[in-house]
Amino acid sequence: MPKIKSKSKTSKKSKKQTSKETSTLSLKEQLAQKRKAALARKELISLLTTATFGGLFVGVVLFFVGGIKAAVPGVLGIIIMSLSYKYPRQALYAFIIYVPVGGTITYYLGSSPILQLAKDAFYIPALIGLWQTCRKQGLPLIIPQGIKIPLYIVLGCSVLTLLFVNGGQQFNPPSVGLLEKAEKEIPLGMGILGLKVFLGYVPLIGCAYYLIRDKRDFLFLSRLQIVLILLCCVLGCIQYLLLLTGICQGTRGLEGNALFVTSLEARCYFGGALLYSPEEGVIRLPGTFVAPWQWAWFLISSTFFTFATGFTDPSIIWRLVGLGSLVTVFINAVISGQRIALALVPICFGILLLLTGQIGNLKRFIPIGIGLAIVLGIVMVTNPTVVQERTESFTGRWEASPPQDFIVQQFEENWKNVDGPLGSGLGRATNSARAMGKTKLVETYYPKVLFEVGIIGVLAFLGLVTSLTIMGFKTYRSIKNRNFRSYGAALWVFILFISYNTYYYPLDVDPVAVYYWFFAGVLFKLPELEKQDKEDANPEQKNKRKRLKTI
């Protein structure tokens, strides 16, 4: 008996000791966390102080050169870039938030050309910070590895065009006539800007891949995107109502050609230039973007993201929010006056139903389908004139200029006019490069690429997007988890659709130029998230893998 008592006493003592150890360990951890938080706060204050002083110095210089419109963006740019380099994770989230509202912010802050590039103040420093972290940890920035060779080929072709075509135009400009005046151009600057537009956002694949660390991050990102879409679509509806009720005048009351051309003077609180002449039956709304056609492609791309969340999110509340956002996308496709959105939003929805297999999931599809039909039916019944006008506008445009004929005509024209196999120079058909020299308006994507980098560059780029599409297909097909697989299927259909779309040039400008590469990175991360889910369910089978910890 006494021996048993001694054993019980020792066991109690050992329990007390372990509890003390755990309490002291937790205390140590708490102190360590406090020290870490204090250090982080100190670093932030130091960085903000340095960046603010540096920004003010640059701002003073810019003020004397270009006035207050150049000084304010300069100061903000220095501060934002400094913070983005130090905190790439937060910068990438800020980048994604800024993309759909950038047009509105630009015109609220004075429409300075510098503000058109403001989103890159988040992206480029964050990319540099991420690249340095990847180098330290021995991780690849280019994800997946299968696109590495096609990407290098495209980059090589582009560099050849930059050096030999743009370089030739810079150092050996074409001669002009006796009475003609040579245009002031910077072909190399145009080429660098053109290269940035052409391939500058490809690294977003790696950025998105490392931004998502686990399922929680993935859900946060997908839901954030849905909130942004819902916000922008609500603002788009408000913009239409303000014009409809006469609070905003639009282009009503103007004369001649002004009734049919988008105007920045007609701007209505959000976004940029618009056209609103209902008496002439023409409406082109920009939503929250700079131009109406950017708004159209935002609505088209949003169909994929709202569909994915609406059908796959584990929370029923967020599924309903996703489907509500999808309804607002449909409504804006009608009221915005954008023919391409009116045509492609329902077509993309139908393609998604078929290719993702959701049409076969009757338990989920039937209630959702009935709900969407009722809401859209109410909208159509209450606004029959609007629906009729948009339908007639679409059919009239199709009959006057069928898209397939327009694309063929663009290919033929640029095939005849391109300077050589390396193209006519990077940036020569890029709108954002027009400040550097004379540019040509090419309204379809692959003819535009043909004009800039020639037939070799077109084939190389097609090889890149084809590799990305094939790898995306293999990735989503390898996923077993139903929700991840359905979300991945929606993203793959988006990649497939944009990769071979040549009507207009969405891959050149916001938001598709960002979303295409960024959400490709999200797709390639899904198998990793599925593995993490399995590891969480079976901790014994957990494998140690290299992961980026600092972003």
Side-chain angles (χ1 to χ4, degrees), residues 61-137:
V61 175
L62 289 173
F63 176 77
F64 288 110
V65 174
I68 193 70
K69 284 188 177 181
V72 173
V75 174
L76 291 174
I78 296 292
I79 295 170
I80 289 169
M81 286 191 287
S82 303
L83 291 171
S84 298
Y85 176 75
K86 178 68 176 175
Y87 306 104
R89 180 176 184 76
Q90 289 78 3
L92 288 171
Y93 279 123
F95 174 72
I96 287 297
I97 292 168
Y98 186 87
V99 166
V101 297
T104 301
I105 293 171
T106 295
Y107 289 112
Y108 268 118
L109 295 180
S111 68
S112 169
I114 299 171
L115 291 168
Q116 303 283 355
L117 304 171
K119 66 181 184 301
D120 293 326
F122 297 108
Y123 165 58
I124 293 173
L127 176 62
I128 294 169
L130 175 64
W131 172 67
Q132 289 180 338
T133 306
C134 285
R135 283 190 66 188
K136 286 177 187 174
Q137 298 191 16

Side-chain angles (χ1 to χ4, degrees), residues 32-239:
Q33 285 176 0
K34 284 181 180 178
R35 282 196 299 270
K36 194 175 179 182
L39 182 64
R41 216 167 22 244
K42 189 178 177 181
E43 286 179 354
L44 176 61
I45 293 166
S46 174
L47 178 65
L48 270 174
T49 305
T50 308
T52 304
F53 277 111
L56 287 171
F57 175 76
V58 173
V60 169
V61 175
L62 289 173
F63 176 77
F64 288 110
V65 174
I68 193 70
K69 284 188 177 181
V72 173
V75 174
L76 291 174
I78 296 292
I79 295 170
I80 289 169
M81 286 191 287
S82 303
L83 291 171
S84 298
Y85 176 75
K86 178 68 176 175
Y87 306 104
R89 180 176 184 76
Q90 289 78 3
L92 288 171
Y93 279 123
F95 174 72
I96 287 297
I97 292 168
Y98 186 87
V99 166
V101 297
T104 301
I105 293 171
T106 295
Y107 289 112
Y108 268 118
L109 295 180
S111 68
S112 169
I114 299 171
L115 291 168
Q116 303 283 355
L117 304 171
K119 66 181 184 301
D120 293 326
F122 297 108
Y123 165 58
I124 293 173
L127 176 62
I128 294 169
L130 175 64
W131 172 67
Q132 289 180 338
T133 306
C134 285
R135 283 190 66 188
K136 286 177 187 174
Q137 298 191 16
L139 294 165
L141 181 62
I142 299 172
I143 302 285
Q145 292 292 291
I147 69 163
K148 211 171 185 178
I149 293 173
L151 177 59
Y152 287 160
I153 292 171
V154 178
L155 188 60
C157 293
S158 302
V159 170
L160 287 175
T161 300
L162 180 66
L163 292 176
F164 292 104
V165 181
N166 291 84
Q169 294 167 359
Q170 180 76 55
F171 300 110
N172 186 24
S175 56
V176 294
L178 222 78
L179 300 174
E180 292 179 9
K181 190 178 180 181
E183 291 186 24
K184 291 181 179 179
E185 291 190 331
I186 312 172
L188 277 176
M190 177 183 283
I192 291 167
L193 190 55
L195 181 60
K196 180 259 174 188
V197 171
F198 188 35
L199 296 174
Y201 291 118
V202 177
L204 278 172
I205 301 175
C207 291
Y209 183 88
Y210 290 122
L211 179 67
I212 300 171
R213 299 167 300 188
D214 49 33
K215 186 178 178 180
R216 189 178 174 184
D217 286 344
F218 165 71
L219 290 174
F220 176 78
L221 179 64
S222 62
R223 292 167 180 176
L224 173 65
Q225 185 65 15
I226 293 305
V227 170
L228 290 170
I229 291 168
L230 184 59
L231 173 66
C232 291
C233 286
V234 168
L235 292 176
C237 292
I238 293 171
Q239 187 179 69

Side-chain angles (χ1 to χ4, degrees), residues 394 397-399 401-409 444 502-503:
F394 174 76
R397 175 69 175 181
W398 185 287
E399 289 169 2
S401 178
Q404 66 275 12
D405 294 344
F406 179 63
I407 292 168
V408 170
Q409 180 262 328
T444 49
T502 192
Y503 195 64

Side-chain angles (χ1 to χ4, degrees), residues 19 37 43 83 95 127 189 191 245 247 255 263 313 347 365 378 383 389 392 412 431 436 442 459 469 489 514 538 550:
S19 65
E43 286 179 354
L83 291 171
F95 174 72
L127 176 62
T245 55
I247 295 171
E255 295 179 357
S263 169
D313 197 284
I347 288 172
F365 171 68
I378 292 169
N383 298 276
E389 283 178 356
E392 288 176 357
E412 288 177 351
N431 285 338
M436 298 284 183
V442 183
L459 294 175
T469 305
V514 170
N538 300 295
T550 56

Side-chain angles (χ1 to χ4, degrees), residues 1 7 18 27 41 55 70-71 82 97 163-164 201-202 243 245 257 269 288 297 304 390 404 417 489 518 524 541:
M1 289 298 290
K7 280 182 183 178
T18 52
L27 185 63
R41 216 167 22 244
S82 303
I97 292 168
L163 292 176
F164 292 104
Y201 291 118
V202 177
L243 288 159
T245 55
N257 193 46
Y269 290 101
T288 56
W297 279 100
F304 296 88
R390 300 301 179 274
Q404 66 275 12
N417 295 327
F518 186 86
F524 292 122
Q541 297 178 5

